[in-house]
PDB file of all heavy atoms in Angstrom:
ATOM      1  N   ILE A  93       5.493 185.963 -37.283  1.00  0.00           N
ATOM      2  CA  ILE A  93       4.883 185.588 -38.565  1.00  0.00           C
ATOM      3  C   ILE A  93       3.491 185.021 -38.300  1.00  0.00           C
ATOM      4  O   ILE A  93       2.523 185.441 -39.009  1.00  0.00           O
ATOM      5  CB  ILE A  93       5.818 184.646 -39.355  1.00  0.00           C
ATOM      6  CG1 ILE A  93       7.079 185.417 -39.710  1.00  0.00           C
ATOM      7  CG2 ILE A  93       5.134 184.121 -40.558  1.00  0.00           C
ATOM      8  CD1 ILE A  93       8.283 184.541 -40.172  1.00  0.00           C
ATOM      9  N   HIS A  94       3.375 184.160 -37.327  1.00  0.00           N
ATOM     10  CA  HIS A  94       2.068 183.620 -36.974  1.00  0.00           C
ATOM     11  C   HIS A  94       1.102 184.711 -36.503  1.00  0.00           C
ATOM     12  O   HIS A  94      -0.077 184.771 -36.899  1.00  0.00           O
ATOM     13  CB  HIS A  94       2.239 182.521 -35.920  1.00  0.00           C
ATOM     14  CG  HIS A  94       2.681 181.219 -36.454  1.00  0.00           C
ATOM     15  ND1 HIS A  94       1.934 180.124 -36.455  1.00  0.00           N
ATOM     16  CD2 HIS A  94       3.870 180.880 -37.002  1.00  0.00           C
ATOM     17  CE1 HIS A  94       2.646 179.080 -37.052  1.00  0.00           C
ATOM     18  NE2 HIS A  94       3.830 179.567 -37.344  1.00  0.00           N
ATOM     19  N   SER A  95       1.610 185.592 -35.636  1.00  0.00           N
ATOM     20  CA  SER A  95       0.775 186.647 -35.096  1.00  0.00           C
ATOM     21  C   SER A  95       0.271 187.586 -36.205  1.00  0.00           C
ATOM     22  O   SER A  95      -0.870 188.052 -36.224  1.00  0.00           O
ATOM     23  CB  SER A  95       1.562 187.503 -34.094  1.00  0.00           C
ATOM     24  OG  SER A  95       2.101 186.657 -33.101  1.00  0.00           O
ATOM     25  N   SER A  96       1.154 187.845 -37.177  1.00  0.00           N
ATOM     26  CA  SER A  96       0.814 188.709 -38.283  1.00  0.00           C
ATOM     27  C   SER A  96      -0.233 188.078 -39.169  1.00  0.00           C
ATOM     28  O   SER A  96      -1.210 188.746 -39.588  1.00  0.00           O
ATOM     29  CB  SER A  96       2.078 189.046 -39.142  1.00  0.00           C
ATOM     30  OG  SER A  96       3.035 189.590 -38.312  1.00  0.00           O
ATOM     31  N   LEU A  97      -0.103 186.786 -39.401  1.00  0.00           N
ATOM     32  CA  LEU A  97      -1.067 186.094 -40.193  1.00  0.00           C
ATOM     33  C   LEU A  97      -2.477 186.181 -39.483  1.00  0.00           C
ATOM     34  O   LEU A  97      -3.479 186.532 -40.127  1.00  0.00           O
ATOM     35  CB  LEU A  97      -0.637 184.605 -40.380  1.00  0.00           C
ATOM     36  CG  LEU A  97      -1.638 183.702 -41.008  1.00  0.00           C
ATOM     37  CD1 LEU A  97      -1.895 184.148 -42.471  1.00  0.00           C
ATOM     38  CD2 LEU A  97      -1.152 182.269 -41.036  1.00  0.00           C
ATOM     39  N   PHE A  98      -2.462 185.914 -38.194  1.00  0.00           N
ATOM     40  CA  PHE A  98      -3.714 185.989 -37.490  1.00  0.00           C
ATOM     41  C   PHE A  98      -4.319 187.419 -37.517  1.00  0.00           C
ATOM     42  O   PHE A  98      -5.509 187.589 -37.827  1.00  0.00           O
ATOM     43  CB  PHE A  98      -3.595 185.556 -36.009  1.00  0.00           C
ATOM     44  CG  PHE A  98      -4.770 185.862 -35.207  1.00  0.00           C
ATOM     45  CD1 PHE A  98      -5.909 185.040 -35.288  1.00  0.00           C
ATOM     46  CD2 PHE A  98      -4.802 187.008 -34.411  1.00  0.00           C
ATOM     47  CE1 PHE A  98      -7.067 185.378 -34.520  1.00  0.00           C
ATOM     48  CE2 PHE A  98      -5.963 187.319 -33.723  1.00  0.00           C
ATOM     49  CZ  PHE A  98      -7.056 186.479 -33.807  1.00  0.00           C
ATOM     50  N   LEU A  99      -3.490 188.401 -37.250  1.00  0.00           N
ATOM     51  CA  LEU A  99      -4.026 189.752 -37.186  1.00  0.00           C
ATOM     52  C   LEU A  99      -4.525 190.191 -38.527  1.00  0.00           C
ATOM     53  O   LEU A  99      -5.525 190.980 -38.623  1.00  0.00           O
ATOM     54  CB  LEU A  99      -2.924 190.696 -36.651  1.00  0.00           C
ATOM     55  CG  LEU A  99      -3.401 192.086 -36.166  1.00  0.00           C
ATOM     56  CD1 LEU A  99      -4.429 191.968 -35.079  1.00  0.00           C
ATOM     57  CD2 LEU A  99      -2.239 192.946 -35.709  1.00  0.00           C
ATOM     58  N   ASN A 100      -3.839 189.852 -39.565  1.00  0.00           N
ATOM     59  CA  ASN A 100      -4.375 190.197 -40.901  1.00  0.00           C
ATOM     60  C   ASN A 100      -5.734 189.634 -41.164  1.00  0.00           C
ATOM     61  O   ASN A 100      -6.604 190.317 -41.724  1.00  0.00           O
ATOM     62  CB  ASN A 100      -3.360 189.681 -41.993  1.00  0.00           C
ATOM     63  CG  ASN A 100      -2.074 190.526 -41.978  1.00  0.00           C
ATOM     64  OD1 ASN A 100      -1.964 191.568 -41.401  1.00  0.00           O
ATOM     65  ND2 ASN A 100      -1.068 190.011 -42.724  1.00  0.00           N
ATOM     66  N   ILE A 101      -5.955 188.391 -40.784  1.00  0.00           N
ATOM     67  CA  ILE A 101      -7.280 187.748 -40.943  1.00  0.00           C
ATOM     68  C   ILE A 101      -8.288 188.551 -40.074  1.00  0.00           C
ATOM     69  O   ILE A 101      -9.370 188.846 -40.524  1.00  0.00           O
ATOM     70  CB  ILE A 101      -7.220 186.261 -40.552  1.00  0.00           C
ATOM     71  CG1 ILE A 101      -6.308 185.493 -41.475  1.00  0.00           C
ATOM     72  CG2 ILE A 101      -8.682 185.680 -40.636  1.00  0.00           C
ATOM     73  CD1 ILE A 101      -6.010 184.066 -40.983  1.00  0.00           C
ATOM     74  N   TYR A 102      -7.901 188.784 -38.824  1.00  0.00           N
ATOM     75  CA  TYR A 102      -8.765 189.510 -37.884  1.00  0.00           C
ATOM     76  C   TYR A 102      -9.199 190.846 -38.435  1.00  0.00           C
ATOM     77  O   TYR A 102     -10.414 191.256 -38.396  1.00  0.00           O
ATOM     78  CB  TYR A 102      -8.130 189.631 -36.537  1.00  0.00           C
ATOM     79  CG  TYR A 102      -8.966 190.230 -35.460  1.00  0.00           C
ATOM     80  CD1 TYR A 102      -9.801 189.450 -34.682  1.00  0.00           C
ATOM     81  CD2 TYR A 102      -8.884 191.584 -35.219  1.00  0.00           C
ATOM     82  CE1 TYR A 102     -10.577 190.047 -33.721  1.00  0.00           C
ATOM     83  CE2 TYR A 102      -9.674 192.169 -34.226  1.00  0.00           C
ATOM     84  CZ  TYR A 102     -10.530 191.368 -33.493  1.00  0.00           C
ATOM     85  OH  TYR A 102     -11.305 191.947 -32.488  1.00  0.00           O
ATOM     86  N   GLU A 103      -8.212 191.660 -38.868  1.00  0.00           N
ATOM     87  CA  GLU A 103      -8.482 193.005 -39.421  1.00  0.00           C
ATOM     88  C   GLU A 103      -9.408 192.898 -40.693  1.00  0.00           C
ATOM     89  O   GLU A 103     -10.266 193.721 -40.904  1.00  0.00           O
ATOM     90  CB  GLU A 103      -7.215 193.710 -39.691  1.00  0.00           C
ATOM     91  CG  GLU A 103      -6.314 193.989 -38.489  1.00  0.00           C
ATOM     92  CD  GLU A 103      -6.920 195.031 -37.580  1.00  0.00           C
ATOM     93  OE1 GLU A 103      -7.881 195.760 -37.945  1.00  0.00           O
ATOM     94  OE2 GLU A 103      -6.509 195.052 -36.391  1.00  0.00           O
ATOM     95  N   TYR A 104      -9.072 191.889 -41.529  1.00  0.00           N
ATOM     96  CA  TYR A 104      -9.886 191.672 -42.747  1.00  0.00           C
ATOM     97  C   TYR A 104     -11.312 191.443 -42.355  1.00  0.00           C
ATOM     98  O   TYR A 104     -12.232 192.053 -42.928  1.00  0.00           O
ATOM     99  CB  TYR A 104      -9.340 190.541 -43.571  1.00  0.00           C
ATOM    100  CG  TYR A 104     -10.270 190.171 -44.647  1.00  0.00           C
ATOM    101  CD1 TYR A 104     -10.336 190.883 -45.801  1.00  0.00           C
ATOM    102  CD2 TYR A 104     -11.143 189.030 -44.565  1.00  0.00           C
ATOM    103  CE1 TYR A 104     -11.296 190.662 -46.851  1.00  0.00           C
ATOM    104  CE2 TYR A 104     -11.995 188.739 -45.557  1.00  0.00           C
ATOM    105  CZ  TYR A 104     -12.076 189.491 -46.673  1.00  0.00           C
ATOM    106  OH  TYR A 104     -12.967 189.185 -47.644  1.00  0.00           O
ATOM    107  N   LEU A 105     -11.514 190.585 -41.396  1.00  0.00           N
ATOM    108  CA  LEU A 105     -12.929 190.292 -41.002  1.00  0.00           C
ATOM    109  C   LEU A 105     -13.648 191.481 -40.405  1.00  0.00           C
ATOM    110  O   LEU A 105     -14.842 191.686 -40.615  1.00  0.00           O
ATOM    111  CB  LEU A 105     -12.948 189.165 -39.901  1.00  0.00           C
ATOM    112  CG  LEU A 105     -12.698 187.756 -40.407  1.00  0.00           C
ATOM    113  CD1 LEU A 105     -12.715 186.769 -39.211  1.00  0.00           C
ATOM    114  CD2 LEU A 105     -13.728 187.316 -41.431  1.00  0.00           C
ATOM    115  N   SER A 106     -12.896 192.346 -39.703  1.00  0.00           N
ATOM    116  CA  SER A 106     -13.538 193.509 -39.102  1.00  0.00           C
ATOM    117  C   SER A 106     -14.078 194.463 -40.162  1.00  0.00           C
ATOM    118  O   SER A 106     -14.989 195.207 -39.932  1.00  0.00           O
ATOM    119  CB  SER A 106     -12.576 194.199 -38.138  1.00  0.00           C
ATOM    120  OG  SER A 106     -11.639 194.918 -38.852  1.00  0.00           O
ATOM    121  N   LYS A 107     -13.460 194.404 -41.350  1.00  0.00           N
ATOM    122  CA  LYS A 107     -13.937 195.289 -42.454  1.00  0.00           C
ATOM    123  C   LYS A 107     -15.129 194.543 -43.229  1.00  0.00           C
ATOM    124  O   LYS A 107     -15.924 195.188 -43.769  1.00  0.00           O
ATOM    125  CB  LYS A 107     -12.808 195.639 -43.393  1.00  0.00           C
ATOM    126  CG  LYS A 107     -11.827 196.570 -42.668  1.00  0.00           C
ATOM    127  CD  LYS A 107     -10.809 197.135 -43.793  1.00  0.00           C
ATOM    128  CE  LYS A 107      -9.657 197.811 -43.060  1.00  0.00           C
ATOM    129  NZ  LYS A 107      -8.593 196.889 -42.706  1.00  0.00           N
ATOM    130  N   ALA A 108     -14.982 193.273 -43.260  1.00  0.00           N
ATOM    131  CA  ALA A 108     -15.859 192.530 -44.196  1.00  0.00           C
ATOM    132  C   ALA A 108     -17.240 192.205 -43.580  1.00  0.00           C
ATOM    133  O   ALA A 108     -18.287 192.175 -44.219  1.00  0.00           O
ATOM    134  CB  ALA A 108     -15.219 191.221 -44.590  1.00  0.00           C
ATOM    135  N   VAL A 109     -17.227 191.896 -42.238  1.00  0.00           N
ATOM    136  CA  VAL A 109     -18.516 191.513 -41.550  1.00  0.00           C
ATOM    137  C   VAL A 109     -18.641 192.162 -40.233  1.00  0.00           C
ATOM    138  O   VAL A 109     -17.628 192.545 -39.611  1.00  0.00           O
ATOM    139  CB  VAL A 109     -18.606 189.955 -41.400  1.00  0.00           C
ATOM    140  CG1 VAL A 109     -19.139 189.285 -42.621  1.00  0.00           C
ATOM    141  CG2 VAL A 109     -17.254 189.398 -40.951  1.00  0.00           C
ATOM    142  N   THR A 110     -19.879 192.316 -39.739  1.00  0.00           N
ATOM    143  CA  THR A 110     -20.084 192.851 -38.474  1.00  0.00           C
ATOM    144  C   THR A 110     -20.261 191.738 -37.429  1.00  0.00           C
ATOM    145  O   THR A 110     -21.270 191.051 -37.470  1.00  0.00           O
ATOM    146  CB  THR A 110     -21.334 193.746 -38.449  1.00  0.00           C
ATOM    147  OG1 THR A 110     -21.299 194.644 -39.565  1.00  0.00           O
ATOM    148  CG2 THR A 110     -21.416 194.569 -37.167  1.00  0.00           C
ATOM    149  N   LEU A 111     -19.332 191.531 -36.563  1.00  0.00           N
ATOM    150  CA  LEU A 111     -19.344 190.498 -35.568  1.00  0.00           C
ATOM    151  C   LEU A 111     -18.944 191.185 -34.220  1.00  0.00           C
ATOM    152  O   LEU A 111     -18.202 192.161 -34.259  1.00  0.00           O
ATOM    153  CB  LEU A 111     -18.325 189.434 -35.892  1.00  0.00           C
ATOM    154  CG  LEU A 111     -18.480 188.667 -37.239  1.00  0.00           C
ATOM    155  CD1 LEU A 111     -17.208 187.884 -37.519  1.00  0.00           C
ATOM    156  CD2 LEU A 111     -19.689 187.703 -37.149  1.00  0.00           C
ATOM    157  N   ASP A 112     -19.380 190.582 -33.147  1.00  0.00           N
ATOM    158  CA  ASP A 112     -18.872 191.107 -31.878  1.00  0.00           C
ATOM    159  C   ASP A 112     -17.468 190.486 -31.701  1.00  0.00           C
ATOM    160  O   ASP A 112     -17.026 189.619 -32.412  1.00  0.00           O
ATOM    161  CB  ASP A 112     -19.785 190.856 -30.667  1.00  0.00           C
ATOM    162  CG  ASP A 112     -19.903 189.404 -30.290  1.00  0.00           C
ATOM    163  OD1 ASP A 112     -18.949 188.712 -30.394  1.00  0.00           O
ATOM    164  OD2 ASP A 112     -20.999 189.023 -29.867  1.00  0.00           O
ATOM    165  N   THR A 113     -16.715 191.080 -30.736  1.00  0.00           N
ATOM    166  CA  THR A 113     -15.322 190.777 -30.589  1.00  0.00           C
ATOM    167  C   THR A 113     -15.048 189.195 -30.436  1.00  0.00           C
ATOM    168  O   THR A 113     -14.217 188.697 -31.009  1.00  0.00           O
ATOM    169  CB  THR A 113     -14.732 191.411 -29.310  1.00  0.00           C
ATOM    170  OG1 THR A 113     -15.141 192.797 -29.372  1.00  0.00           O
ATOM    171  CG2 THR A 113     -13.262 191.379 -29.305  1.00  0.00           C
ATOM    172  N   ALA A 114     -15.930 188.597 -29.620  1.00  0.00           N
ATOM    173  CA  ALA A 114     -15.742 187.173 -29.372  1.00  0.00           C
ATOM    174  C   ALA A 114     -15.920 186.364 -30.654  1.00  0.00           C
ATOM    175  O   ALA A 114     -15.149 185.425 -30.879  1.00  0.00           O
ATOM    176  CB  ALA A 114     -16.705 186.693 -28.272  1.00  0.00           C
ATOM    177  N   GLU A 115     -16.978 186.698 -31.401  1.00  0.00           N
ATOM    178  CA  GLU A 115     -17.201 185.993 -32.642  1.00  0.00           C
ATOM    179  C   GLU A 115     -16.145 186.276 -33.687  1.00  0.00           C
ATOM    180  O   GLU A 115     -15.675 185.330 -34.376  1.00  0.00           O
ATOM    181  CB  GLU A 115     -18.522 186.513 -33.216  1.00  0.00           C
ATOM    182  CG  GLU A 115     -19.753 185.995 -32.486  1.00  0.00           C
ATOM    183  CD  GLU A 115     -21.049 186.725 -32.955  1.00  0.00           C
ATOM    184  OE1 GLU A 115     -20.949 187.817 -33.519  1.00  0.00           O
ATOM    185  OE2 GLU A 115     -22.114 186.142 -32.764  1.00  0.00           O
TER     186      GLU A 115
END
Side-chain angles (χ1 to χ4, degrees):
I93 294 164
H94 282 246
S95 303
S96 303
L97 174 64
F98 168 80
L99 194 60
N100 288 348
I101 298 169
Y102 183 86
E103 296 289 346
Y104 168 78
L105 283 180
S106 73
K107 291 190 192 86
V109 276
T110 312
L111 299 166
D112 69 35
T113 314
E115 288 169 338

